[in-house]
């Protein structure tokens, strides 16, 4: 569930840290990997495309958190 620009999980809110261009790239790459798997172009490992697809849709990347990376615009 989205809550105020972040993802609510167990009462805690993860702030969005993925910008619009980053989100678009993640969604395209995720869909591309999944499609390639479904069409038999690549093997089962292509299901890893679910990860960039999900983080692109949600707008939050847990891997960015420890490094303080944000590709979205800063809030004013």
């Amino acid at each position: 569930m989205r809550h105020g620009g972040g993802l609510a999980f167990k009462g805690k809110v993860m702030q969005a840290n993925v910008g619009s261009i980053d989100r678009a790239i993640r969604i395209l790459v995720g869909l591309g990997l999944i499609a390639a798997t479904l069409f038999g172009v690549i093997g089962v490992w292509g299901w890893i495309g679910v990860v960039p697809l999900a983080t692109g849709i949600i707008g939050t990347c847990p891997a960015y958190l420890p490094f303080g990376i944000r590709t979205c615009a800063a809030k004013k």
Side-chain angles (χ1 to χ4, degrees):
M1 166 191 276
R2 288 194 142 260
H3 182 271
L7 178 70
F9 182 70
K10 292 187 178 181
K12 296 184 179 184
V13 177
M14 291 178 61
Q15 294 297 320
N17 60 4
V18 179
S20 58
I21 294 172
D22 193 358
R23 289 178 81 167
I25 292 169
R26 288 169 180 267
I27 291 169
L28 290 173
V29 167
L31 289 173
L33 285 169
I34 293 168
T37 301
L38 291 173
F39 289 112
V41 176
I42 59 177
V44 176
W45 68 268
W47 286 108
I48 196 75
V50 170
V51 174
L53 178 62
T55 57
I57 290 171
I58 293 169
T60 301
C61 178
Y64 280 2
L65 295 175
F67 304 106
I69 299 171
R70 292 178 55 92
T71 59
C72 59
K75 290 185 179 181
K76 293 183 180 181

